[in-house]
Amino acid sequence: MNIPEIFGIDVFDENVMQQRLPKSVYKSLKKTIQSGEPLDIDVANVVAAAMKDWAVEKGCTHYTHWFQPMTGITAEKHDSFISPIGDGKIIMEFSGKELVKGEPDASSFPSGGLRATFEARGYTAWDPTSYAFIKGKSLCIPTAFCSYTGEALDKKTPLLRSMEALNKSAVRLLKLFGADNVTRVTANVGPEQEYFLIDREMYSKRKDLILTGRTLFGAPAPKGQELEDHYFGTIKTRVNAYMEDLDEQLWRLGICAKTKHNEVAPAQHELAPIFGTTNIATDHNQLTMEIMKRTARKHGFKCLLHEKPFAGVNGSGKHNNWSVSTNTGVNLLDPGTTPAENAQFLTFLVAVIKAVNDYQDLLRASVATAGNDHRLGANEAPPAIISIFLGDELTEILEALAEGHKYEGKAKTQMEIGVDVLPKFPKDTTDRNRTSPFAFTGNKFEFRMPGSKLSCAGPMTILNTIVAEVLDQFYDELEKADDFQDALDSLIKRTISENKNIIFNGNGYSAEWPAEAEKRGLMNLKSTPDAVPVYLADKNVEVLSKHGVYSKVELESRVEILLDEYVKIVNIEALTMIDMAKKDILPAAMSYVKDLGETAATATALGADLTVEKELVTRLSSLAASTYKAMNELEEAEVKAGDIVDTEELARYYHDVILTKMGELRAPADQMEAICGEKYWPYPTYEQLLFYVK
């Protein structure tokens, strides 16, 4: 396989455009992509014809507007290129109008009250900043998705809005630094994707995995991850074949799959790409997750993207490595080596710190899901409390700046913004902190809170917007200053002093941290019902609407959608648990008890010791009774949920009551699994699921 030859071969990218479009059309399209200028319909017609010819030559018969509704996955409606011309003949046709706009039925997608069910019309609009690509025999055109009345019904539209907000705010501020050659600033992200691979045959025997994506019952295996022998270990032959196949498919789509390795938990792995612009990286990550699952089937696996598919071992996250760069090639979060770069770096660094502190609740809400609630705060993920890790050296530098004294580190120098050179700050002067939700890693920030199946769009939309807001605040202060240097010095020092509460380099897992965080004024939004409603706090509505990212009605719709999704997910899990306990687990225990009774009868006739049989029957009968009682209580709690109308109240009920009852049902059932004969237990065990992949 020649990687350079196959890379991007199924993408209508810049190289293909240059080859197939007239120069004038190509230049016009580039202007649209780079500066957001409207695309003339005549240009769109030429582009559409070239796209169609290219796709048909590669075996395509259909096209689809590929979009990302609020379901969390991608959606597509496929139309063929055929157009009748009479006498039973057809031609292959694709117009600019069909390229630029589609009209999928929007009635069955979540709208959060933005429209009535009978109001079906929705529009998809081509996003020319993300290249079209081929999947199977269809040309896929990345699009935004909105309602008939113009509200965003997807994840891409707000993300594009946030990128534009950050661009405008950053470019404007950079002009004050004399960076007149900067015309565009782009947010970039590289999402590290964690996932589990288990045997498909075993997966097909687990009702909970099929219906909910996670195991609702399961006793711990004799071995877990305590030996830490899976992390970065030798990749098993069958898994490696899957990874090689996956890499090739991603490369063909122009996705820069870079790193692959075993993760901490048994049967857990990671794939990391090279970073790209946030919009394209988000599209690529959605494709990556889809191809991961599809490729797993080919290799006899099931790819699990749930944040916590197995209790007692690490869950899966999606670590978003976020940075900001200019069209001139400058990473604004790179410390640099000259005074001007230092001042610029420090300005953007403290802007991010202030943004995260001011809008910590929004960032937490952006990663809130039913699945991620099980992961956050566990032994492999950051806690639900937002804090920033900078490392000791950078923290000391900022403290020296704020207090106006000498930095006593590697370079003992009086710190003056933009005058003396910032001490050389290598990218890795300190250890990483895996417990930190938001960590500076040399020239970027790593947001570690998003769950593995979450779209990058949500958290990146919020991060882009809140940073844009602080950059605007900085501009307003600096633009009217009589002495820019003095004003900048004062601004940076004050910002550090006022936001140092969010900086924490310690152990986020420690028992002391929640109390310490509370003293610092940091929020601890432990669950999705706690976090999601903060979208509608006045300050949050104001910042998101001010920058044109979300209107208030769009935010209200998202709160409704997210809480409704939470309720439905937990409800499905609860009903699945009841079904499993009633139809499989209790009958399995009874069958074992019956056989033990028959064994005891035989042993009695022979005068044998019945200690084992009696103890097992007594123990199993007691646990079965506890399981039955907990199952009935969960059923009763489910019935009561039907009386609650308000979505927020219902979400809290499912968190406080239903999840508690689910835990009470699982506990005795898992204990029964641990002592029940293996041939009686109806499901593959954790041992089989996690360790029997060859």
Side-chain angles (χ1 to χ4, degrees):
M1 176 175 58
N2 187 321
I3 298 176
E5 282 187 6
I6 69 162
F7 189 82
I9 197 170
D10 291 332
V11 184
F12 193 78
D13 59 15
E14 203 154 318
N15 289 329
V16 180
M17 292 180 199
Q18 280 185 307
Q19 292 170 14
R20 290 180 173 261
L21 297 175
K23 283 186 179 180
S24 60
V25 171
Y26 173 71
K27 286 181 179 179
S28 180
L29 182 58
K30 284 288 288 182
K31 280 185 180 178
T32 296
I33 293 171
Q34 292 175 348
S35 59
E37 291 185 12
L39 189 68
D40 184 270
I41 190 61
D42 291 333
V43 172
N45 281 327
V46 176
V47 174
M51 266 190 195
K52 182 264 297 178
D53 290 344
W54 171 78
V56 169
E57 287 171 19
K58 295 178 76 65
C60 288
T61 56
H62 290 68
Y63 70 93
T64 178
H65 277 196
W66 184 81
F67 58 101
Q68 300 170 35
M70 292 298 293
T71 55
I73 57 175
T74 55
E76 49 201 56
K77 181 186 77 169
H78 299 255
D79 290 296
S80 72
F81 289 120
I82 66 171
S83 181
I85 57 173
D87 297 327
K89 305 289 185 181
I90 60 102
I91 58 171
M92 302 293 270
E93 200 171 52
F94 185 47
S95 70
K97 182 180 178 182
E98 290 168 320
L99 167 63
V100 171
K101 188 178 80 171
E103 293 189 28
D105 188 329
S107 63
S108 295
F109 290 109
S111 73
L114 281 175
R115 54 197 291 103
T117 303
F118 64 83
E119 296 173 327
R121 192 181 295 279
Y123 294 118
T124 49
W126 177 36
D127 170 19
T129 65
S130 187
Y131 299 133
F133 58 91
I134 291 173
K135 188 172 65 167
K137 291 194 173 184
S138 288
L139 171 67
C140 298
I141 302 157
T143 56
F145 181 45
C146 64
S147 72
Y148 177 69
T149 49
E151 291 91 1
L153 294 175
D154 67 344
K155 295 177 180 289
K156 178 186 277 285
T157 302
L159 178 61
L160 291 170
R161 293 169 177 172
S162 75
M163 291 175 68
E164 190 55 33
L166 180 61
N167 166 56
K168 289 179 179 177
S169 300
V171 168
R172 190 172 68 145
L173 182 61
L174 286 170
K175 299 297 183 189
L176 299 181
F177 286 86
D180 294 326
N181 58 338
V182 174
T183 57
R184 190 150 197 90
V185 169
T186 306
N188 305 298
V189 69
E192 302 169 18
Q193 180 69 55
E194 295 177 340
Y195 62 100
F196 280 83
L197 285 180
I198 62 172
D199 202 272
R200 176 164 287 276
E201 185 178 349
M202 292 186 187
Y203 163 83
S204 67
K205 297 175 182 177
R206 292 282 316 208
K207 193 178 301 184
D208 47 3
L209 282 175
I210 292 171
L211 296 179
T212 74
R214 74 180 181 104
T215 52
L216 302 172
F217 295 101
K223 177 188 176 184
Q225 62 188 52
E226 62 272 23
L227 293 179
E228 300 177 338
D229 54 346
H230 190 256
Y231 191 53
F232 281 17
T234 303
I235 300 171
K236 294 177 180 177
T237 303
R238 189 171 151 214
V239 173
N240 194 56
Y242 162 83
M243 289 180 169
E244 288 177 355
D245 191 352
L246 176 63
D247 277 341
E248 181 174 349
Q249 292 183 69
L250 295 178
W251 290 334
R252 291 179 67 91
L253 288 168
I255 299 172
C256 294
K258 177 72 172 177
T259 304
K260 57 184 180 183
H261 61 83
N262 290 344
E263 256 299 336
V264 175
Q268 187 186 34
H269 313 279
E270 180 179 295
L271 181 150
I274 298 172
F275 75 91
T277 60
T278 308
N279 174 36
I280 295 175
T282 297
D283 286 356
H284 282 179
N285 183 251
Q286 292 294 120
L287 269 174
T288 297
M289 291 190 288
E290 177 187 337
I291 295 169
M292 277 179 165
K293 291 187 284 188
R294 190 173 68 221
T295 305
R297 179 181 290 273
K298 287 170 54 180
H299 292 264
F301 290 123
K302 176 65 181 180
C303 176
L304 301 179
L305 293 174
H306 193 284
E307 293 84 356
K308 194 74 173 179
F310 304 101
V313 299
N314 280 16
S316 296
K318 191 196 310 282
H319 304 158
N320 287 355
N321 294 281
W322 178 85
S323 62
V324 186
S325 60
T326 69
N327 62 299
T328 58
V330 175
N331 179 353
L332 296 170
L333 292 176
D334 192 313
T337 57
T338 67
E341 288 173 336
N342 294 344
Q344 195 170 278
F345 159 71
L346 287 169
T347 302
F348 278 82
L349 177 70
V350 300
V352 175
I353 293 171
K354 177 174 169 56
V356 172
N357 196 21
D358 288 351
Y359 297 98
Q360 53 187 275
D361 53 345
L362 267 181
L363 270 183
R364 169 65 183 94
S366 74
V367 300
T369 66
N372 212 24
D373 281 359
H374 296 290
R375 169 182 165 264
L376 291 178
N379 289 335
E380 80 290 353
I385 304 166
I386 299 278
S387 64
I388 296 175
F389 171 82
L390 294 179
D392 294 338
E393 184 173 359
L394 189 53
T395 301
E396 290 172 12
I397 289 171
L398 294 187
E399 287 174 351
L401 277 170
E403 296 169 13
H405 61 65
K406 288 184 178 181
Y407 167 62
E408 299 293 339
K410 292 181 179 179
K412 298 180 180 179
T413 179
Q414 181 69 31
M415 298 300 297
E416 295 181 26
I417 310 302
V419 178
D420 288 341
V421 177
L422 181 71
K424 180 67 176 174
F425 185 65
K427 292 182 181 178
D428 297 301
T429 60
T430 185
D431 198 1
R432 296 177 67 193
N433 188 329
R434 297 181 68 235
T435 74
S436 177
F438 201 82
F440 186 71
T441 55
N443 62 355
K444 63 186 183 302
F445 279 98
E446 182 181 16
F447 190 25
R448 298 178 55 85
M449 292 182 79
S452 51
K453 69 177 181 180
L454 187 71
S455 167
C456 297
M460 294 301 96
T461 296
I462 296 301
L463 185 55
N464 290 341
T465 308
I466 61 178
V467 172
E469 169 62 19
V470 175
L471 294 179
D472 278 356
Q473 293 173 17
F474 283 7
Y475 176 85
D476 290 342
E477 180 172 338
L478 295 172
E479 189 267 341
K480 61 188 178 185
D482 294 330
D483 187 312
F484 175 78
Q485 192 60 56
D486 286 347
L488 181 63
D489 184 71
S490 174
L491 172 65
I492 290 176
K493 289 179 179 179
R494 186 178 71 251
T495 304
I496 295 168
S497 297
E498 292 176 351
N499 295 278
K500 61 184 179 182
N501 60 308
I502 197 80
I503 299 170
F504 178 63
N505 296 329
N507 181 9
Y509 296 159
S510 70
E512 296 77 21
W513 172 231
E516 168 65 19
E518 187 176 2
K519 288 180 184 177
R520 294 177 177 218
L522 304 182
M523 303 177 75
N524 188 0
L525 302 171
K526 297 180 180 178
S527 70
T528 295
D530 293 328
V532 167
V534 306
Y535 275 117
L536 297 178
D538 289 344
K539 72 177 182 67
N540 296 336
V541 173
E542 182 181 355
V543 71
L544 291 166
S545 59
K546 170 187 171 183
H547 291 277
V549 175
Y550 290 111
S551 66
K552 186 175 182 181
V553 293
E554 286 174 334
L555 283 173
E556 289 170 341
S557 76
R558 274 143 183 83
V559 169
E560 180 70 22
I561 289 168
L562 292 169
L563 291 178
D564 181 62
E565 178 187 58
Y566 177 86
V567 167
K568 288 174 178 175
I569 287 172
V570 180
N571 180 55
I572 291 169
E573 291 179 347
L575 295 178
T576 302
M577 287 190 82
I578 292 167
D579 191 71
M580 292 172 73
K582 188 180 293 184
K583 295 179 180 177
D584 299 323
I585 292 174
L586 286 172
M590 292 172 186
S591 178
Y592 189 35
V593 167
K594 174 178 174 291
D595 286 359
L596 284 171
E598 292 175 355
T599 301
T602 302
T604 299
L606 298 173
D609 186 345
L610 299 180
T611 302
V612 174
E613 289 85 349
K614 287 180 178 178
E615 288 188 3
L616 282 173
V617 168
T618 300
R619 180 69 175 142
L620 277 171
S621 296
S622 174
L623 289 170
S626 297
T627 301
Y628 185 73
K629 178 175 180 291
M631 181 189 73
N632 287 333
E633 289 180 355
L634 179 56
E635 279 190 299
E636 291 170 5
E638 276 284 307
V639 172
K640 290 179 182 177
D643 297 327
I644 303 173
V645 177
D646 181 75
T647 306
E648 184 175 341
E649 182 185 351
L650 187 59
R652 293 191 182 281
Y653 177 83
Y654 267 88
H655 176 268
D656 297 342
V657 178
I658 299 295
L659 280 178
T660 300
K661 295 294 183 185
M662 288 167 61
E664 291 170 355
L665 173 55
R666 177 169 184 161
D670 285 358
Q671 291 179 58
M672 282 197 296
E673 179 188 335
I675 60 175
C676 199
E678 185 174 328
K679 73 173 185 177
Y680 297 90
W681 202 250
Y683 309 117
T685 63
Y686 271 24
E687 175 186 339
Q688 294 167 325
L689 289 167
L690 293 171
F691 293 100
Y692 285 20
V693 172
K694 302 299 182 185

